[in-house]
Amino acid sequence: MNAPNHTETILAAVDQGFDEQVRFLGDLVSMPSLRGAEGSAQDFVAAALRVRGLAVDRWRIDVEDIRHLPGFSPVTISYENAWNVVGTHRPRASHGRSLILNGHIDVVPVGPIEMWHSPPFRPRIHEGWMYGRGAGDMKAGIAANLFALDALARSGLAPAAEVYLQSVVEEECTGNGALACLQRGYRADAAIIPEPMGEHLLTAQVGVVWFQVKVMGRPAHVALASTGANAIESCFPLVQALHGLEHRWNELRHPSFAGHLHPINFVLARIEGGDWTSSVPAWCTFDMRVLGLYGGIPSLVYGPWAENIHAFDERVSLESMRRVTKTIALFVAQWCGTEPRSG
Ligand SMILES: [Zn+2]
């Protein structure tokens, strides 16, 4: 196991590598790895893993491989460009506990560009924050994973167990990227996911349910509207009833969420209906997204302080990323144990 006297060395090693880490984060943020376009960012990560001597596995997710697995989410877009990357560290003698360091490379769309104070894929540092889409969610986390291992190496140490550094796609919509890693055989005694959690440790997590409701009405000319049935207006009471359910679920919440203001959120995210302004709408479709509860996932979510994720002017605190990197580096050393670095 890690001797406590390594602690100061490892913390100093994170500081020594921090300028390089910030540059790495900037490079990663400048790559617009929107869903379906993660390829070049994944190549960049794969190269960074390879340079560090990790064995790199880069593969395209095949939906047929994961379709039958629990946790699989229906696929609505092409997986033509859905590449996962895993770098594996193998110790000389494995005597510690293995670890997955997971992060997702995909970022959510930027929305109307004129609402940003600077271009979302041109990272900008101001007063200790790095701005840019994906800076917080969660490229700073990927950088923290990678540079935590660098800090050990710089300290002359290597984890004394397998460490799998994963960069996955498809987190922002389904989670199928992480599922594909499981299917490919990547298992470990624990996993850390440095999502932007404001340096809080998450032991229970909300999941996501997406669903779509299609309501059929009866079309009629507006002059004879009372003979028709308005599909759009018929959705209003349904949405209201779903918010009633949301209220009940929040009252019945899991004890892990006792202190949380409102853990379960129904969000009406899209609505579409009707064909013609002079006709009573014959159809209406709405999507909703629900964050549901899963407990007992043997993974820790712990990551840096970020603001405006999924919004305009997303930003991550660089000092927070530094602290998280130090925490992960010390955790790896303690969890996996260490051995002298070879080579
Ligand atoms: Zn995320």
Side-chain angles (χ1 to χ4, degrees), residues 95-172:
H95 52 79
R97 292 167 288 191
S98 60
L99 182 64
I100 288 170
L101 297 173
N102 174 281
H104 67 82
I105 195 81
D106 55 319
V107 301
V108 297
V110 297
I113 202 108
E114 64 276 12
M115 300 292 285
W116 288 73
H117 284 90
S118 56
F121 296 114
R122 205 177 298 156
R124 172 173 66 97
I125 295 175
H126 182 65
E127 294 182 346
W129 298 85
M130 184 183 286
Y131 290 79
R133 169 60 84 231
D137 187 10
M138 61 170 290
K139 289 175 171 175
I142 289 180
N145 284 342
L146 188 63
F147 282 79
L149 292 187
D150 277 5
L152 292 192
R154 203 174 288 113
S155 308
L157 301 169
E162 285 74 15
V163 176
Y164 305 99
L165 221 147
Q166 303 181 337
S167 175
V168 303
V169 298
E170 273 283 297
E171 188 274 345
E172 294 294 2

Side-chain angles (χ1 to χ4, degrees), residues 263-285:
I264 298 172
N265 294 291
F266 277 60
V267 178
L268 176 57
R270 273 177 68 97
I271 182 159
E272 210 182 342
D275 297 306
W276 188 244
T277 44
S278 300
S279 305
V280 173
W283 63 277
C284 183
T285 306

Side-chain angles (χ1 to χ4, degrees), residues 88-98 158-164 336-340 342:
T88 299
H89 159 78
R90 290 199 189 285
R92 277 199 303 278
S94 182
H95 52 79
R97 292 167 288 191
S98 60
E162 285 74 15
V163 176
Y164 305 99
C336 303
T338 55
E339 59 181 24
S342 58

